[in-house]
Amino acid sequence: MFYWVVKAILGPVLAVLWQPRAEGVENVPRRGPAIMVSNHLSFSDHFFGPLPLPRKITFLAKAEYFTGTGVKGFVSRAFFTGVGQIPIDRSGGKASEAALRTGLRVLKRGDLLGIYPEGTRSPDGRLYRGRTGVARLALEAKAPVVPMAMINLEKIMPPGRTVPKLGVRPKVVFGEPLDFSRYYGMEKDQRVLRAVTDEIMYALMELSGQEYVDRYAQSVKAELEAEAKEARREQNADDKDRRRTKRAAKKTERAERKAAKKAERAARKKGSDEDA
């Protein structure tokens, strides 16, 4: 119920402020299970993706949305819990298996399951390599996969921005359902899982128009964070050098002024002695 209340309140607000567009809504099944796979550009994907659909999408959301502290953490936790989103641990291993089982339960109920195959938000607006968990879900649940491409969302809330930017018109494009029935029963074959995942990512690339990068977004993020950390370290070192140089210059300037005053006093004293 809370999901529909939030949608009823937010829907008109989002429509007025950003005038979102949607294409291919007819490609989403009106009933029965389906996996809604989306590229992930910003936090606002959670709002604009489900907005044009008459059905609820239950997303597997990262656990961090439910564990924050302070006012922001409380609001995030209350919102995602209220709209029925499910926290998942992305650390891998048993956590990934638990997330898979959770997704299967959602699909078994006949609901729409939302998932971001990239595993995290794109750090630069490009589309990154998908993780094969989405393929396992599709084959084990025997559910159709509907690509859902977000467009312009990274301009509304890019990484690091907390206040949405106005003047940007987002768009969501729903592609035709992908049928992987030819692979049913092969969900343990890693080559099949990779082939299915790559087909899904190709469909998202075609719909979104993004440049594709055959690397995991998480790895690229780690590299960018390491580079930023190194840049800050170098900047701090440069700042220290500049402060050290400035202090040395001031010390030299004081010494020169002191020497000049001493020389001036000596000259005045010498002049007084000569006058005497």
Side-chain angles (χ1 to χ4, degrees):
M1 175 60 74
F2 185 74
Y3 176 91
W4 299 110
V5 172
V6 170
K7 189 171 183 179
I9 296 173
L10 280 182
V13 174
L14 298 178
V16 170
L17 294 179
W18 286 281
Q19 299 181 341
R21 296 167 291 170
E23 293 181 5
V25 175
E26 67 278 3
N27 290 321
V28 181
R30 296 298 177 182
R31 61 181 61 85
I35 302 173
M36 309 297 295
V37 294
S38 175
N39 55 334
H40 201 4
L41 295 175
S42 81
F43 180 79
S44 55
D45 295 341
H46 295 287
F47 302 100
F48 289 102
L51 187 62
L53 299 180
R55 298 184 63 186
K56 175 183 176 180
I57 302 180
T58 299
F59 277 94
L60 298 180
K62 63 181 182 180
E64 290 85 343
Y65 287 148
F66 299 82
T67 57
T69 58
V71 176
K72 183 179 179 182
F74 173 78
V75 172
S76 175
R77 184 166 56 255
F79 173 78
F80 282 100
T81 301
V83 296
Q85 308 308 286
I86 300 173
I88 60 168
D89 185 337
R90 301 179 298 172
S91 59
K94 292 182 179 180
S96 296
E97 190 66 27
L100 175 70
R101 296 300 145 198
T102 300
L104 288 173
R105 284 197 297 272
V106 172
L107 293 168
K108 189 175 181 179
R109 295 199 306 256
D111 295 340
L112 297 179
L113 176 71
I115 189 169
Y116 300 107
E118 292 169 279
T120 187
R121 279 179 282 180
S122 170
D124 53 17
R126 296 185 293 177
L127 184 68
Y128 285 85
R129 197 174 198 226
R131 297 187 177 276
T132 58
V134 63
R136 284 191 62 190
L137 276 170
L139 299 187
E140 289 198 25
K142 296 181 172 58
V145 175
V146 180
M148 181 171 65
M150 307 292 178
I151 300 173
N152 283 343
L153 272 297
E154 78 281 8
K155 299 175 183 176
I156 295 177
M157 285 191 72
R161 186 182 180 94
T162 56
V163 179
K165 182 179 180 181
L166 298 176
V168 178
R169 194 175 184 191
K171 183 178 181 181
V172 184
V173 182
F174 300 92
E176 295 183 1
L178 303 175
D179 179 15
F180 296 108
S181 58
R182 63 192 182 279
Y183 294 123
Y184 289 169
M186 304 171 69
E187 58 271 9
K188 293 184 179 180
D189 189 322
Q190 287 300 319
R191 292 172 298 180
V192 169
L193 295 180
R194 174 46 56 192
V196 170
T197 305
D198 288 346
E199 186 173 336
I200 291 171
M201 301 313 292
Y202 183 82
L204 284 174
M205 180 188 71
E206 289 283 287
L207 292 174
S208 67
Q210 291 172 277
E211 176 187 349
Y212 180 74
V213 181
D214 193 24
R215 296 185 62 196
Y216 290 119
Q218 194 65 48
S219 298
V220 175
K221 273 189 174 181
E223 290 178 4
L224 293 175
E225 289 171 359
E227 290 174 3
K229 185 177 181 180
E230 178 63 20
R232 287 194 297 270
R233 189 189 66 78
E234 292 179 356
Q235 181 64 45
N236 290 336
D238 290 342
D239 290 343
K240 288 181 180 179
D241 288 341
R242 281 193 291 270
R243 288 194 294 269
R244 192 179 297 113
T245 301
K246 190 175 181 179
R247 286 196 298 268
K250 286 183 177 180
K251 185 176 180 180
T252 301
E253 185 180 348
R254 286 195 298 269
E256 290 175 348
R257 285 200 301 267
K258 186 176 181 180
K261 288 180 180 180
K262 185 176 181 181
E264 185 179 348
R265 286 195 298 269
R268 284 200 299 267
K269 183 178 181 182
K270 182 179 180 181
S272 297
D273 293 341
E274 290 176 351
D275 290 341

